[in-house]
Amino acid sequence: MSSPRSIAIVGAGLGGLVCARVLQLHNITVDVYEKEPSPASRQQGGSLDMHSKLGLKALQMSQLMDQFKKIARPEDQDMKIMGKDGTVYFESPNLLPEERGEDRPEADRTQLRQILLESLKPGTVKWNHGISNIIHEGGRATLHFLDSGRSPVVYDFIIGADGAWSRVRTTLSPAAPEYTGVCFIDIFVHDVRKKHPELVDFVKRGMAMALGDNKGIAPQRNANDVVRIYVIFRKPLEWLDEVGLKRLVDEERYSEASELMLEEFTGWCPEVTNFLKVPCASMTVRPLYSLDRHKWPTHPNTTLIGDAGHVMVPFSGEGANLAMIDGAEAGLTIAKHLSAENATWLEAFKSFEAAMLRRAWASSKGALENMDKFISDGNSAERASITMKKLLTVATA
């Protein structure tokens, strides 16, 4: 192929935006299509710990480390694990420096996304452009939009970065994420220093987890005086509807939802359960899905990155990190082969996808294993603390 390929990214999450940034650093034109109407249209999730060989490496490749340092919270890496009776089994501030593992500074997902958005040329992201279908024909890919008033657009290559329920994935593979049996209720509490100092004292500089009997309560420190409280249940997906929890959350009847959840924690330490009585700004139901060991035939016009290619549970801290390094490496692969002949191009993406999936499969396996230890029968807090110590031993080796 003598002329450079035209490139589009579907999805303006972290992976898609990193990919766009790397492409623009190489003076490659790219359009990003996002179904959300604006950057602030929904909650983007909580705090992320950036790993040196994944998310931090992607930020270095994106030349955004200076901007990242302005929002990073290296002090918010503490972890505490306790049982339902309040017994503390693990507390990272009590560890010696050599026992702590690699430095993994925290950053809020929303702030990280904003840094990436501001790094792109104006107009790169097309908001309110949800994709309904992609047609491959004549060696090119045509994007059709949910809004039938928008004309289809044609590109030589599409990067699917559109998350767990990717529309791009459906053109390459029939696979769909499967429910893992575990669900989070994400509770957003702000002005915590003034209104809820006891919550700040409990969480300290990071996350505290109370675990047992296939459930848990896990408050996490975020930026801007926010704590997110994750209430975790191992339950069938239908349970959310059967007990009315999903309906209460959807109708923003948060105090009633909290009362319902409190019934599930009868007999637990009041130091922990009292946090479910704290007034909140919002709640979100987040069932955990996995798309384990997914792969697809390499396609000359389309690839997948992040959750579009490999959905995983958040029990390794690597999902967003993987999406970011996927995006950076996809952008670099395009930059190196933009005008290559088709056979060379296809071989380059075959190598890229193989490396990406090997990395993702290993991380997903570990995350699922961790989830099954943390959210399990009986005294799972003790098992979780043993797992955490082993993970730190590996990280310091």
Side-chain angles (χ1 to χ4, degrees):
M1 186 169 185
S2 56
S3 60
R5 291 169 170 82
S6 56
I7 309 295
I9 298 169
V10 179
L14 299 180
L17 294 176
V18 167
C19 186
R21 168 66 176 175
V22 170
L23 290 173
Q24 289 188 351
L25 286 173
H26 286 84
N27 297 313
I28 297 171
T29 299
V30 60
D31 296 315
V32 181
Y33 294 96
E34 171 54 52
K35 68 178 178 181
E36 293 177 4
S38 73
S41 61
R42 71 174 179 90
Q43 288 278 356
Q44 293 296 311
S47 189
L48 305 170
D49 56 326
M50 292 287 99
H51 298 196
S52 61
K53 296 180 181 179
L54 300 173
L56 289 177
K57 182 180 178 182
L59 288 167
Q60 290 165 353
M61 293 169 70
S62 303
Q63 299 181 17
L64 292 172
M65 282 302 294
D66 287 344
Q67 293 88 329
F68 172 73
K69 289 174 183 177
K70 294 176 183 178
I71 66 161
R73 306 190 321 277
E75 71 277 8
D76 283 357
Q77 301 180 62
D78 290 346
M79 170 69 79
K80 177 166 65 177
I81 299 174
M82 57 193 295
K84 64 180 184 179
D85 62 353
T87 301
V88 176
Y89 290 94
F90 176 89
E91 195 161 14
S92 59
N94 295 333
L95 298 176
L96 297 172
E98 61 269 21
E99 296 175 317
R100 283 176 167 266
E102 69 167 328
D103 189 45
R104 294 178 173 181
E106 294 281 332
D108 273 24
R109 184 187 292 265
T110 300
Q111 293 180 324
L112 197 52
R113 189 190 197 201
Q114 191 60 34
I115 284 174
L116 288 161
L117 286 170
E118 291 173 357
S119 76
L120 300 178
K121 295 178 181 177
T124 298
V125 179
K126 321 296 182 186
W127 300 101
N128 204 24
H129 277 68
I131 302 300
S132 63
N133 196 16
I134 300 175
I135 303 298
H136 294 110
E137 58 184 2
R140 306 190 80 193
T142 302
L143 299 181
H144 294 262
F145 298 101
L146 293 171
D147 181 349
S148 59
R150 299 189 187 281
S151 299
V153 288
V154 182
Y155 291 89
D156 293 311
F157 195 70
I158 305 295
I159 300 101
D162 49 338
W165 305 105
S166 169
R167 300 303 292 263
V168 180
R169 186 200 304 129
T170 62
T171 70
L172 300 179
S173 163
E178 296 182 354
Y179 178 56
T180 61
V182 174
C183 179
F184 280 21
I185 311 299
D186 179 356
I187 303 175
F188 186 92
V189 183
H190 56 65
D191 297 330
V192 289
R193 281 193 293 267
K194 177 181 177 181
K195 296 180 178 178
H196 310 290
E198 74 287 354
L199 185 52
V200 176
D201 290 343
F202 182 77
V203 176
K204 300 189 187 304
R205 308 300 309 193
M207 173 177 272
M209 308 180 77
L211 304 171
D213 299 339
N214 277 309
K215 52 198 167 205
I217 299 173
Q220 181 194 46
R221 190 73 175 266
N222 283 218
N224 299 322
D225 204 20
V226 167
V227 167
R228 301 181 92 106
I229 304 171
Y230 299 103
V231 188
I232 311 166
F233 298 104
R234 185 179 288 277
K235 297 280 191 181
L237 196 57
E238 313 84 65
W239 175 81
L240 293 165
D241 292 313
E242 290 170 356
V243 300
L245 182 55
K246 186 176 185 302
R247 176 174 55 83
L248 291 173
V249 172
D250 289 346
E251 295 175 359
E252 300 184 4
R253 294 157 62 184
Y254 300 142
S255 61
E256 293 174 72
S258 293
E259 290 174 9
L260 194 156
M261 287 188 284
L262 273 167
E263 294 176 6
E264 296 289 324
F265 291 92
T266 300
W268 281 50
C269 171
E271 183 185 11
V272 176
T273 58
N274 283 344
F275 295 136
L276 297 185
K277 301 175 184 178
V278 170
C280 67
S282 69
M283 283 187 189
T284 307
V285 177
R286 301 189 188 278
L288 302 188
Y289 289 86
S290 177
L291 186 59
D292 198 30
R293 299 193 70 80
H294 174 233
K295 61 180 178 179
W296 58 92
T298 300
H299 195 283
N301 306 118
T302 306
T303 194
L304 305 172
I305 62 173
D307 281 355
H310 47 81
V311 184
M312 60 184 293
V313 297
F315 280 84
S316 67
E318 291 188 342
N321 279 272
L322 288 170
M324 292 172 69
I325 196 64
D326 291 352
E329 291 181 353
L332 197 58
T333 301
I334 291 169
K336 287 180 177 179
H337 301 90
L338 189 63
S339 300
E341 295 300 321
N342 288 339
T344 303
W345 174 269
L346 197 65
E347 194 59 37
F349 269 91
K350 188 177 294 185
S351 297
F352 159 76
E353 289 170 354
M356 174 180 65
L357 292 177
R358 279 196 304 270
R359 179 173 60 209
W361 290 352
S363 183
S364 181
K365 180 176 182 291
L368 286 168
E369 290 172 352
N370 291 343
M371 183 183 75
D372 287 340
K373 291 184 177 76
F374 281 52
I375 313 302
S376 55
D377 289 333
N379 189 3
S380 56
E382 186 172 14
R383 292 190 289 276
S385 70
I386 294 169
T387 298
M388 185 60 66
K389 290 171 184 175
K390 288 180 178 177
L391 290 173
L392 288 176
T393 299
V394 171
T396 55

